[in-house]
């Protein structure tokens, strides 16, 4: 982001008039930055439809208020040599969360970790070179952590969609329910689950994995 050469002009910018809320203009700025984080302030202002000084002031306010955390490059993991991605669901011994967090921070292969509800306690996303590395990381390194009680590994066949971030303006309003839906056999608030086995063979061309049962490592 080139903001240093396009600073605000003294006749347009006024101290103390920094917009801090996520109004429509700020959401447009974040949307443009999502598409091109290296855009200049002048081009950003033109895309959003505001003055350069206004764009600079709003951009700095978004950074100062912690809405924009940092700027970084987005790397293609496959071209970088990390063609295998897997999710590892972990059951943690409840008295040893601090150890789990500290040991996980020492694993550079871990791209993302979240504490979850449900059957498992945490979900870890890892990127490595090959399947053998996944096996070693799960069965040796993770299993050797006393805080880890059990794991379940799921390989990602194809990453269909990945966005840099989501904005409140991306949300679409829910459609109004039709009379047929209200009087149908499925009560309001219920969900119908349909088996997806027939369509899984089309994901990534890995037909031989479509009916493979889930594995659970010790």
């Amino acid at each position: 982001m080139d903001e240093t050469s396009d600073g605000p002009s003294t006749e347009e910018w006024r101290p103390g008039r920094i917009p801090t809320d996520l109004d429509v203009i700020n959401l447009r700025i974040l949307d443009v930055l999502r598409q091109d984080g290296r855009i200049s302030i002048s081009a950003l202002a033109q895309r959003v439809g505001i003055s350069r000084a206004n764009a600079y002031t709003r951009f700095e306010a978004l950074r100062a208020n912690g809405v924009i955390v940092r700027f970084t490059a987005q790397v293609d993991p496959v071209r970088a040599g990390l063609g295998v991605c897997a999710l590892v669901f972990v059951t943690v011994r409840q008295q040893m969360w601090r150890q789990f967090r500290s040991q996980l921070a020492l694993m550079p292969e871990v791209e993302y970790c979240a504490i979850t509800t449900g059957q498992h306690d945490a979900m870890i996303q890892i990127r490595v070179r090959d399947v053998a590395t996944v096996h070693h990381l799960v069965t040796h390194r993770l299993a050797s952590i006393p805080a880890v009680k059990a794991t379940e590994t799921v390989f990602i066949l194809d990453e269909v969609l990945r966005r840099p971030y989501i904005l409140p303006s991306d949300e679409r309003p829910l459609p109004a329910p039709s009379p047929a839906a209200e009087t149908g056999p499925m009560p309001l608030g219920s969900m119908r689950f349909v088996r997806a086995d027939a369509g899984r063979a089309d994901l990534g061309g890995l037909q031989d994995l479509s009916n493979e049962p889930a594995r659970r490592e010790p």
Side-chain angles (χ1 to χ4, degrees), residues 63-78:
R63 291 208 306 182
N65 294 330
V67 178
I68 298 177
V69 180
R70 69 179 185 275
F71 286 87
T72 183
Q74 182 175 338
V75 177
D76 187 325
V78 177

Side-chain angles (χ1 to χ4, degrees), residues 13 27 33 38 63 70 84 98 104-105 139 149 184 203:
W13 180 75
L27 289 174
L33 292 175
R38 300 184 66 185
R63 291 208 306 182
R70 69 179 185 275
V84 176
R98 181 174 299 179
L104 202 65
T139 61
K149 184 178 181 180
L203 295 177

Side-chain angles (χ1 to χ4, degrees), residues 33-52:
L33 292 175
R34 177 167 55 180
Q35 303 169 38
D36 183 6
R38 300 184 66 185
I39 191 171
S40 67
I41 289 292
S42 297
L44 176 64
Q46 185 177 11
R47 291 277 300 275
V48 177
I50 58 178
S51 68
R52 186 178 64 177

Side-chain angles (χ1 to χ4, degrees), residues 112-135:
Y112 176 79
C113 177
I115 309 302
T116 64
T117 60
Q119 179 181 357
H120 305 283
D121 299 311
M123 184 196 74
I124 302 171
Q125 180 172 327
I126 59 176
R127 293 189 185 273
V128 293
R129 295 180 179 274
D130 48 40
V131 175
T133 306
V134 176
H135 177 74

Side-chain angles (χ1 to χ4, degrees), residues 174-211:
L174 295 176
S178 63
E182 294 180 353
T183 59
M186 184 170 57
L188 186 63
S190 300
M191 299 180 66
R192 180 182 292 115
F193 295 92
V194 181
R195 292 180 60 86
D197 296 20
R200 290 184 58 191
D202 297 330
L203 295 177
L206 300 180
Q207 291 86 350
D208 57 323
L209 295 180
S210 60
N211 294 316

